[in-house]
Amino acid sequence: MVLAILGAVVLAAVANGAAVDRTALAKKQAALATEYGLAKESSFYFVLDVLGRKLELRVRGMVLRSWPLQAMRFWGSPGFAGTVELVRKTTLKAPERIVIKPGDTAEAQPAPAPAPAKPAAKSAPAPAAPAEFDLEALELKDMPKRFTLDFDNGLHVTIKAEDAASRGLAGSLSDGLRWYIGLPLRNLFGSREGKRISELELTFEQGQDAQAIYWHFFDGIKGIIL
């Protein structure tokens, strides 16, 4: 009798394990098929590996950049299947390129009569003409360390660096109220569009990781979430 019970338990465990394996295999195959559709193109795409706790930038199946996750939390029912597309990225203060254009000064004044030409001193180089001014290029250090990404499936992702996550007592209280009170209320009553909340928060250890993600993630980039 005991052997029969043990045998039934073993068979049930084997059957359950086989079912789990089949489900995991089906998910893996679906993920590979989805990535294959992205890898056929020459465009960049991203892969958010939730279990592997990393975010990767890829092209044609090759990993170009990999950013390990320091922490992750989510609220609601984030979409973890299929291809997603970035609709917009938002930050409190977006980086701006300073452009110096000739003629963008005050109103033009009558030009004075030209003075007699003088030989320029060898030690003092001639001043650069306005047309020779270069544009100020944006660099990685100019990118924000905290921003949000909105995807076409309704998923709202907050990206932040660990050193930018701490914003003092007021910032901590604001984050706590938003996460533990604001989001549950919005999820209970629904958003303005009538959709449930799908919120994902990703924290990275290095500030340069968050900045590099902002640099590489452009509107329209596609990716998959495993």
Side-chain angles (χ1 to χ4, degrees):
M1 183 66 178
V2 176
L3 292 177
I5 295 176
L6 290 175
V9 170
V10 171
L11 290 177
V14 171
N16 184 52
V20 172
D21 290 341
R22 286 196 297 270
T23 302
L25 181 61
K27 290 183 177 179
K28 184 66 174 179
Q29 290 176 339
L32 290 175
T34 302
E35 183 175 1
Y36 177 73
L38 295 174
K40 289 191 301 182
E41 306 295 334
S42 58
S43 303
F44 296 108
Y45 65 93
F46 70 89
V47 175
L48 174 57
D49 188 351
V50 176
L51 295 179
R53 301 179 68 84
K54 60 184 177 180
L55 176 63
E56 294 181 339
L57 181 70
R58 301 182 182 181
V59 63
R60 294 194 181 277
M62 297 183 296
V63 178
L64 301 180
R65 296 290 302 271
S66 181
W67 302 286
L69 284 169
Q70 176 73 12
M72 178 185 65
R73 60 178 179 174
F74 62 88
W75 189 272
S77 303
F80 286 169
T83 304
V84 295
E85 181 176 341
L86 180 62
V87 177
R88 64 180 175 271
K89 58 182 179 182
T90 309
T91 184
L92 185 61
K93 185 178 180 181
E96 297 180 354
R97 185 192 304 271
I98 299 177
V99 180
I100 303 176
K101 295 182 179 179
D104 284 353
T105 57
E107 296 182 2
Q109 301 293 332
K118 295 181 179 180
K122 296 182 179 180
S123 58
E132 297 176 359
F133 290 164
D134 294 329
L135 303 182
E136 182 179 348
L138 291 174
E139 298 180 0
L140 186 62
K141 63 180 179 62
D142 301 318
M143 302 299 108
K145 297 182 180 180
R146 184 186 181 100
F147 55 93
T148 59
L149 304 173
D150 290 291
F151 294 92
D152 59 349
N153 65 341
L155 179 61
H156 182 80
V157 181
T158 299
I159 304 289
K160 61 182 182 180
E162 187 177 20
D163 56 357
S166 178
R167 298 183 295 167
L169 179 60
S172 300
L173 288 175
S174 177
D175 286 343
L177 289 173
R178 172 182 171 273
W179 189 266
Y180 296 108
I181 297 179
L183 288 179
L185 290 176
R186 288 181 59 195
N187 193 54
L188 178 63
F189 296 105
S191 62
R192 296 178 181 177
E193 295 80 12
K195 299 180 181 180
R196 291 291 183 177
I197 302 300
S198 297
E199 187 85 12
L200 184 62
E201 185 181 271
L202 307 178
T203 304
F204 296 86
E205 182 178 2
Q206 303 294 330
Q208 289 185 347
D209 290 347
Q211 291 174 311
I213 294 170
Y214 187 92
W215 180 283
H216 289 95
F217 274 52
F218 53 87
D219 291 352
I221 188 173
K222 297 180 179 179
I224 57 176
I225 303 176
L226 303 180

